[in-house]
Amino acid sequence: MTRNRVEKTSCTLLGLGSMGTALARAWLAAGHPLTVWNRTQARATALATEGAQLADSAAEAVRANTLIILCLLDDASVEEALAGTDLTGRDLVNLTTSIPAQARARAQWARERGARYLDGGIMAVPSVIGVPGAGGYVLYSGSRELFDQYEEILAAPAGATYVGDDAGFAALYDVALLSAMYGMFAGAAHAFALIREEDIDPASFAPLLAGWLAAIAPSVRQTAEQLRSGDYTRGVVSDLAMQVAGTPTFLSTAEQQGVSPELLSPYFELMRRRLAEGSGDEGLAGVIDLLVR
Ligand SMILES: NC(=O)c1ccc[n+]([C@@H]2O[C@H](COP(=O)([O-])OP(=O)(O)OC[C@H]3O[C@@H](n4cnc5c(N)ncnc54)[C@H](OP(=O)(O)O)[C@@H]3O)[C@@H](O)[C@H]2O)c1
């Protein structure tokens, strides 16, 4: 019998919704001993046949391991699930989506109960959890010590990216990235609306749109450099004056295609305001300052 097998970290997972179940399967597949608890116990029984230990209560699940991972609906469900549990000496990793203030308050709450705390924001859907190379990852913030100690188990279901010791940062990065996604969806919705009534196959347009978005996306690095240096003219090729001059083309085309400009107009309005402040030789980074109140 070989004795050189590396002991895998054991953990407790509270919450077996669609995301929690995917996480549980990934940890079991990676060989981590797992204790699970779910408010509705029926959802946990399938996992027992796959090797998980079932706990009858959250308190029992918390007693079973030092590392406690939560993947519940929202912060209120974390409060409810952990009420009456003894968290002394426990390491909490909370993958429940929350807002930054909730994550910071939850970190303080955990400290007051003698637990270390790491917050997480999942940038993935359940179907890519445990699929190597699928691109999903989890943002982590809070105790660096805790992240380093458990990095191997945390990285088993998806990539693990630490973004700072402020417990609220994972939630903030999560919302910032998803906000950019919605901006992209808004632009794509307008683009599809423009071709909607024409004899154009959306399926033939889609690859052009996807390629264009991918080609433009790296420009955010230049925006970051401009924000960092405070010089919003750095490396600008298409300046604000030129871009504002082009906006009537977009609005007239939308009108002629019978498409509402309601998704584009607010952004164009910010570009015009920045130009009116005398920033015609900048790129678009100045719009960011107009948004910060
Ligand atoms: N699914 C995704 O694509 C995705 C992607 C990124 C992040 N997330 C985040 O991952 C977390 C879980 O998502 P999910 O998709 O697994 O959601 P879900 O399928 O709706 O499951 C919600 C889980 O929370 C539990 N729960 C709800 N209220 C509770 C309470 N008061 N006390 C104890 N347990 C409670 C549910 O238990 P019952 O079974 O008893 O109802 C269930 O285990 C959420 O914060 C979500 O934002 C999800």
Side-chain angles (χ1 to χ4, degrees):
M1 196 164 138
T2 55
R3 298 189 54 82
N4 59 352
R5 260 186 39 205
V6 180
E7 279 279 294
K8 293 277 186 166
T9 307
S10 60
C11 79
T12 284
L13 173 64
L14 304 182
L16 296 170
S18 30
M19 184 54 84
T21 300
L23 291 168
R25 293 209 161 106
W27 281 313
L28 289 171
H32 292 278
L34 185 69
T35 298
V36 294
W37 172 83
N38 194 58
R39 180 182 60 176
T40 308
Q41 206 173 22
R43 285 177 112 167
T45 39
L47 283 165
T49 62
E50 297 172 37
Q53 294 291 320
L54 298 196
D56 285 335
S57 66
E60 183 189 320
V62 167
R63 274 194 301 276
N65 287 296
T66 303
L67 176 59
I68 312 298
I69 301 177
L70 297 122
C71 188
L72 299 167
L73 187 63
D74 54 16
D75 188 61
S77 43
V78 173
E79 178 80 32
E80 200 172 313
L82 292 180
T85 60
D86 181 3
L87 299 178
T88 315
R90 293 295 176 264
D91 291 331
L92 298 191
V93 176
N94 187 9
L95 303 183
T96 305
T97 301
S98 45
I99 63 172
Q102 287 170 329
R104 288 174 184 134
R106 193 54 64 196
Q108 174 68 20
W109 178 93
R111 262 193 303 277
E112 287 164 6
R113 283 157 184 77
R116 293 190 295 177
Y117 185 87
L118 190 65
D119 203 82
I122 303 172
M123 305 302 295
V125 290
S127 57
V128 306
I129 295 295
V131 181
Y137 63 95
V138 181
L139 297 158
Y140 288 99
S141 66
S143 167
R144 172 91 221 194
E145 204 182 30
L146 201 158
F147 178 79
D148 289 344
Q149 183 177 336
Y150 294 116
E151 190 170 357
E152 194 221 335
I153 181 168
L154 296 179
T161 302
Y162 183 79
V163 292
D165 60 8
D166 182 325
F169 276 10
L172 184 59
Y173 275 58
D174 187 336
V175 170
L177 294 175
L178 292 176
S179 299
M181 178 191 76
Y182 280 115
M184 182 190 76
F185 287 161
H190 186 84
F192 277 121
L194 288 175
I195 65 154
R196 186 79 176 131
E197 298 298 319
E198 302 290 350
D199 185 18
I200 298 173
D201 179 2
S204 67
F205 180 68
L208 294 172
L209 181 54
W212 179 244
L213 292 173
I216 293 300
S219 70
V220 298
R221 296 203 176 91
Q222 188 187 60
T223 306
E225 279 309 317
Q226 292 169 348
L227 291 172
R228 184 190 257 175
S229 68
D231 176 5
Y232 295 178
T233 65
R234 182 184 278 199
V236 168
V237 179
S238 308
D239 70 26
L240 184 62
M242 182 282 280
Q243 295 206 53
V244 169
T247 57
T249 304
F250 291 82
L251 298 174
S252 301
T253 303
E255 190 178 358
Q256 282 164 23
Q257 294 300 109
V259 169
S260 164
E262 64 196 298
L263 287 173
L264 278 190
S265 294
Y267 192 66
F268 284 170
E269 183 48 38
L270 287 163
M271 286 164 61
R272 276 190 224 105
R273 265 172 58 200
R274 185 70 183 179
L275 180 63
E277 290 174 359
S279 306
D281 56 348
E282 294 178 351
L284 294 168
V287 165
I288 297 162
D289 289 347
L290 292 180
L291 290 176
V292 178
R293 286 185 274 187

